[in-house]
Amino acid sequence: MDSPITVAALYRFTPVADPAALRDALESQCKAQGIKGTLLVAGEGINGTIAGSAEGIAHVVDFIRAQPDCAEAEVKYSHAAEMPFYRMKVRIKREIVTMGVEGIDPRASVGTYVAPQDWNALIADPDTIVIDTRNDYEVAAGTFERAIDPKTATFRDFPDWFRRERERLLGEGRAPKVAMFCTGGIRCEKSTAFLKAEGVEDVYHLQGGILKYLEEVPEEESLWHGECFVFDERVTVGHGLALGTHVLCRACRRPINDEGRASPLYEEGVSCADCYHERTDEQRASARERDRQEKLARARGTSHIGATRP
């Protein structure tokens, strides 16, 4: 399949002295290059995913890497047949990935990075505890063998989950290795730093995240099952970063597989089995009309004013 759109998922933990100035500069650079996506800027760094032409993405990445202490910014590339974003957003946040725990600094203390080629051996070790640090709806689309699902709704829930489960996971005099993973690596930077701050020393995380693993590890050698949820219109990707099979429920933003689409409660653009009973008839009617207007706008080649998808 022809895939003319380059997608770059990137982050860098580094002090940003003037987040507003960096936001404005990034907005200008992205607009000039026709780039779409979302970038988050905070005092602790930059994070986001952007898409556009190969030349435009290269220009913006070069601009980011030219910023102080950003030459080694983590960037993972993939491709899409169509633009996976509707607009460009650059936002200032308190954190570039929100954990909500004061004093966690991945620049000062972080887990041991494990290359994708070495990940299988680590998580296959029965003495290793494997934790998926992503949200419950992401885990539902796919995860690694032996991985524990914390069933968290947001990353903010992870610290409380670990503190509740710590004794069960690490108690009785055990000192197992703890291996954690996430989509692109950024959440693991914070989750491993958090565990080390909690006194857990033998902590590891998958370098480059699931996306790097799926890109580099052949499917026949893989311990990954399912697909990886991504925060754009591709919804999920599989081995080799090929386009996945899930669609997105426009009402609740959860990924829906073939079985979910077969549910009588699934209506494109309106509801799925997971969210049908969370909404009223009036809300579903409103969603139905919004979906109709968006489809009409796409048929005309324009953007519907009510379209707020990322």
Side-chain angles (χ1 to χ4, degrees), residues 48-117:
T49 304
I50 53 177
S53 68
E55 296 79 8
I57 290 295
H59 181 93
V60 174
V61 169
D62 285 346
F63 174 80
I64 290 171
R65 284 181 163 160
Q67 303 308 303
D69 191 40
C70 285
E72 300 302 318
E74 179 78 24
V75 184
K76 288 170 290 300
Y77 296 98
S78 56
H79 296 87
E82 299 178 354
M83 171 57 73
F85 296 103
Y86 284 83
R87 56 182 175 169
M88 186 66 222
K89 298 178 289 186
V90 186
R91 294 176 172 172
I92 296 177
K93 297 283 190 177
R94 288 191 62 186
E95 301 177 68
I96 56 173
V97 58
T98 303
M99 175 177 268
V101 178
E102 294 295 331
I104 300 300
D105 184 1
R107 294 166 297 162
S109 178
V110 74
T112 301
Y113 295 96
V114 180
Q117 294 78 11

Side-chain angles (χ1 to χ4, degrees), residues 10-281:
L10 59 93
Y11 72 88
R12 178 68 174 176
F13 282 100
T14 186
V16 176
D18 190 342
L22 181 56
R23 175 201 58 196
D24 293 346
L26 286 169
E27 284 182 337
S28 177
Q29 292 289 327
C30 291
K31 182 178 180 181
Q33 297 298 323
I35 301 301
K36 295 181 180 181
T38 299
L39 291 173
L40 305 179
V41 180
E44 66 177 6
I46 181 172
N47 172 37
T49 304
I50 53 177
S53 68
E55 296 79 8
I57 290 295
H59 181 93
V60 174
V61 169
D62 285 346
F63 174 80
I64 290 171
R65 284 181 163 160
Q67 303 308 303
D69 191 40
C70 285
E72 300 302 318
E74 179 78 24
V75 184
K76 288 170 290 300
Y77 296 98
S78 56
H79 296 87
E82 299 178 354
M83 171 57 73
F85 296 103
Y86 284 83
R87 56 182 175 169
M88 186 66 222
K89 298 178 289 186
V90 186
R91 294 176 172 172
I92 296 177
K93 297 283 190 177
R94 288 191 62 186
E95 301 177 68
I96 56 173
V97 58
T98 303
M99 175 177 268
V101 178
E102 294 295 331
I104 300 300
D105 184 1
R107 294 166 297 162
S109 178
V110 74
T112 301
Y113 295 96
V114 180
Q117 294 78 11
D118 300 324
W119 183 249
N120 285 358
L122 175 64
I123 68 172
D125 184 343
D127 291 329
T128 300
I129 292 174
V130 187
I131 301 175
D132 193 330
T133 67
R134 301 172 303 151
N135 301 329
D136 49 9
Y137 61 90
E138 298 173 78
V139 179
T143 192
F144 280 107
E145 285 185 15
R146 301 187 61 247
I148 295 170
D149 176 10
K151 302 187 185 301
T152 49
T154 73
F155 191 51
R156 276 183 174 274
D157 299 332
F158 182 83
D160 286 344
W161 172 84
F162 178 77
R163 287 165 175 161
R164 287 196 311 270
E165 299 295 321
R166 176 174 181 156
E167 186 64 25
R168 180 178 67 85
L169 295 172
L170 306 179
E172 301 178 359
R174 299 174 63 203
K177 298 185 287 289
V178 178
M180 296 189 285
F181 62 91
C182 58
T183 307
I186 186 170
R187 279 178 279 190
C188 288
E189 298 268 6
K190 278 208 168 175
S191 59
T192 58
F194 168 72
L195 258 67
K196 290 182 77 68
E198 295 285 298
V200 183
E201 291 298 325
D202 214 1
V203 185
Y204 302 80
H205 64 110
L206 176 58
Q207 188 168 20
I210 301 162
L211 294 179
K212 198 67 174 176
Y213 181 94
L214 293 177
E215 178 185 3
E216 295 189 355
V217 176
E219 184 172 0
E220 59 271 18
E221 299 175 12
S222 176
L223 296 182
W224 174 265
H225 299 290
E227 297 173 354
C228 178
F229 181 83
V230 290
F231 295 87
D232 58 56
E233 288 297 309
R234 293 172 298 171
V235 186
T236 58
V237 297
H239 289 91
L241 301 182
L243 183 66
T245 60
H246 289 67
V247 299
L248 198 66
C249 174
R250 300 300 175 184
C252 67
R253 314 297 297 173
R254 296 180 177 103
I256 310 298
N257 60 16
D258 290 340
E259 182 180 354
R261 289 199 292 276
S263 168
L265 300 182
Y266 173 73
E267 182 179 350
E268 183 181 358
V270 178
S271 67
C272 68
D274 288 330
C275 73
Y276 183 88
H277 297 292
E278 298 173 355
R279 286 164 170 75
T280 65
D281 290 341

Side-chain angles (χ1 to χ4, degrees), residues 291-306:
D291 185 64
R292 187 181 74 85
Q293 293 292 336
E294 289 185 10
K295 287 176 179 175
L296 288 173
R298 287 198 296 273
R300 294 192 300 264
T302 61
S303 294
H304 175 50
I305 192 170

